[in-house]
Amino acid sequence: MTFKVILPLAAAVLAAVPCITAAAYADTSAGACLINAVTGETVFEKNIYEKLPMASTTKIMTLLTALENSEPDEQVTVSVNAAGQEGSSAYIEAGAVISMNDLSYGLMLNSGNDAAVAIAEHVSGSAEAFAEKMNSLAGEIGLKDTEFKNPNGLNAEGHYTTARDLAVLTRYALKNEEFAQIVSTRSYTAHQTLKDGTVKEVEYINHNKLLGAYEGCIGVKTGYTEAAGRCLVSAAERGGAVYIAVTLNSKNDWAEHKAMLDHGFETARTVTAVEKGECVRHIVSESGACELVAADSFEIPVNSKKGTDVTVRIDISDMIAPPLNKGEKVGILEIYSGDELLGTVDAVAASDLSLEGGYKAKPCFFTAMIRIIKSILG
């Protein structure tokens, strides 16, 4: 059995800053969105639910689907169909053998339509079957207005997304370490073994100019077709705050993304959900007492109303008993925003406590009351 307490975060420090809805930051875009990737809150929006073609930003889902259904060291034989895809290319040759890892870099850095189809055929047998996997994963993630018809983003009837869905997808994808590594890489050398046994090197350069031009940029993907216009998904991280910007059919995407990301960082403020050393429970015995405390602080960057529903759940077993050593882990503190787990902090013993006589375990009501009072006053 575990001891669980849910403590509301002090609302006094979470005064609302309304989400900006005017087109000031993306006036040439058909749809745009900026989200706080830590909390998921929407910081800026313009036509965020309008269904629009997405061009090669499709490949965000292509890579994510590939990562969840294959291993990086799997070897792929490139088909004639894959090698012959039109548009942007990873320069893979029919009959060549190349790893899924190298194809992934060709997919995202060079935006290879050939790499997209090679990946799809390897994972699912065909691009059409792979698109079904993409749509299934979209449903699991919670994308409500997105439909994939192919893995590369070439024009197809019924292939669309929204700025909001694309931001939500990217937030999910960036939690995958392999995905995050690939999309933040500025250049990569791939190797393919040709049919005659020779090994050919191909250098991929990331098309995302923000990686070198915007402080903290960590990706993510460019896209363009005549029908979709210029599409861009970007993300940047500074001091624990992460923002994801999306524009669809923009005529000035680089500048619009810089402005949106700047807005996110400039309007953010940090809320401390848990303070290092904060007492969450007491263990009292005949030989003395020991506080159980947070091992570290946990801070959350917030921009608007998101954060008022942040709670700290204390998960410590009822069986915790002396002897205890200072620094010994006794449980965890779970930080939630609504139903979403943002992170955890260890709960540890603040001092030694020997085993002498009986003991009592009790909550730290002082800490709980302070939190509740601050929440009410806020």
Side-chain angles (χ1 to χ4, degrees):
M1 184 175 181
T2 57
F3 176 85
K4 285 183 179 278
V5 174
I6 301 178
L7 302 177
L9 190 61
V13 293
L14 295 170
V17 175
C19 171
I20 293 179
T21 58
Y25 295 100
D27 56 352
T28 75
S29 298
C33 184
L34 176 72
I35 67 169
N36 179 325
V38 176
T39 64
E41 66 183 297
T42 301
V43 182
F44 167 81
E45 61 181 66
K46 178 186 178 183
N47 300 333
I48 60 172
Y49 300 113
E50 184 174 345
K51 296 177 181 179
L52 296 164
M54 65 193 107
S56 284
T57 60
T58 295
K59 291 163 184 163
I60 294 171
M61 180 60 91
T62 303
L63 177 59
L64 183 62
T65 304
L67 291 175
E68 295 195 1
N69 289 276
S70 65
E71 296 298 328
D73 60 354
E74 290 180 16
Q75 299 299 302
V76 178
T77 300
V78 181
S79 72
V80 172
N81 177 50
Q85 292 295 303
E86 64 178 285
S88 54
S89 177
Y91 306 109
I92 53 177
E93 299 186 19
V97 177
I98 185 171
S99 69
M100 280 291 288
N101 183 66
D102 283 9
L103 277 176
S104 296
Y105 280 92
L107 174 78
M108 300 305 283
L109 276 62
N110 254 44
S111 200
N113 294 331
D114 49 357
V117 173
I119 287 170
E121 291 178 343
H122 176 76
V123 172
S124 300
S126 70
E128 293 76 17
F130 187 81
E132 292 179 9
K133 282 187 180 295
M134 296 168 70
N135 288 320
S136 177
L137 182 53
E140 292 175 21
I141 295 171
L143 308 188
K144 301 182 183 302
D145 299 296
T146 298
E147 183 76 21
F148 297 102
K149 296 297 183 181
N150 60 56
N152 48 32
L154 292 176
N155 298 331
E157 185 177 354
H159 187 95
Y160 59 82
T161 190
T162 65
R164 174 63 181 170
D165 270 7
L166 205 46
V168 171
L169 168 61
T170 303
R171 182 181 182 227
Y172 178 93
L174 284 172
K175 295 176 183 179
N176 183 305
E177 292 183 2
E178 290 179 69
F179 180 96
Q181 172 65 37
I182 292 168
V183 300
S184 64
T185 299
R186 296 178 67 177
S187 65
Y188 181 85
T189 302
H191 299 82
Q192 56 180 319
T193 303
L194 305 182
K195 287 192 293 185
D196 63 5
T198 60
V199 176
K200 180 180 179 180
E201 288 188 354
V202 184
E203 185 75 13
Y204 298 136
I205 305 297
N206 202 317
H207 293 180
N208 185 358
K209 296 178 182 178
L210 293 179
L211 283 172
Y214 189 83
E215 179 188 351
C217 183
I218 55 174
V220 176
K221 190 70 189 74
T222 60
Y224 173 80
T225 65
E226 187 174 346
R230 294 181 60 85
C231 301
L232 179 63
V233 180
S234 67
E237 178 178 10
R238 297 179 190 171
V242 183
Y243 292 92
I244 296 168
V246 177
T247 52
L248 295 171
N249 194 4
S250 169
K251 295 179 177 61
N252 194 23
D253 50 3
W254 303 118
E256 290 176 351
H257 277 245
K258 288 179 180 180
M260 285 193 291
L261 292 169
D262 281 347
H263 172 67
F265 289 116
E266 288 168 2
T267 59
R269 62 203 179 283
T270 300
V271 172
T272 301
V274 174
E275 291 188 9
K276 183 177 180 179
E278 180 180 322
C279 178
V280 294
R281 196 176 181 191
H282 288 99
I283 300 292
V284 180
S285 74
E286 293 179 5
S287 61
C290 175
E291 291 184 343
L292 306 184
V293 302
D296 296 290
S297 296
F298 192 96
E299 297 181 334
I300 306 169
V302 299
N303 294 78
S304 57
K305 293 181 180 179
K306 193 73 172 184
T308 55
D309 60 349
V310 169
T311 55
V312 180
R313 302 182 185 181
I314 302 169
D315 191 351
I316 298 175
S317 172
D318 285 331
M319 303 307 293
I320 295 295
L324 293 174
N325 297 315
K326 182 178 180 179
E328 179 180 343
K329 180 179 177 180
V330 294
I332 59 172
L333 310 179
E334 300 173 327
I335 296 86
Y336 282 84
S337 178
D339 294 328
E340 181 179 6
L341 178 65
L342 300 183
T344 63
V345 172
D346 287 345
V348 300
S351 60
D352 296 334
L353 184 62
S354 61
L355 179 60
E356 293 182 14
Y359 74 94
K360 292 183 179 180
K362 59 181 183 178
C364 185
F365 287 108
F366 177 76
T367 298
M369 288 306 299
I370 288 295
R371 286 179 178 271
I372 293 170
I373 290 170
K374 285 183 177 179
S375 179
I376 293 171
L377 292 178

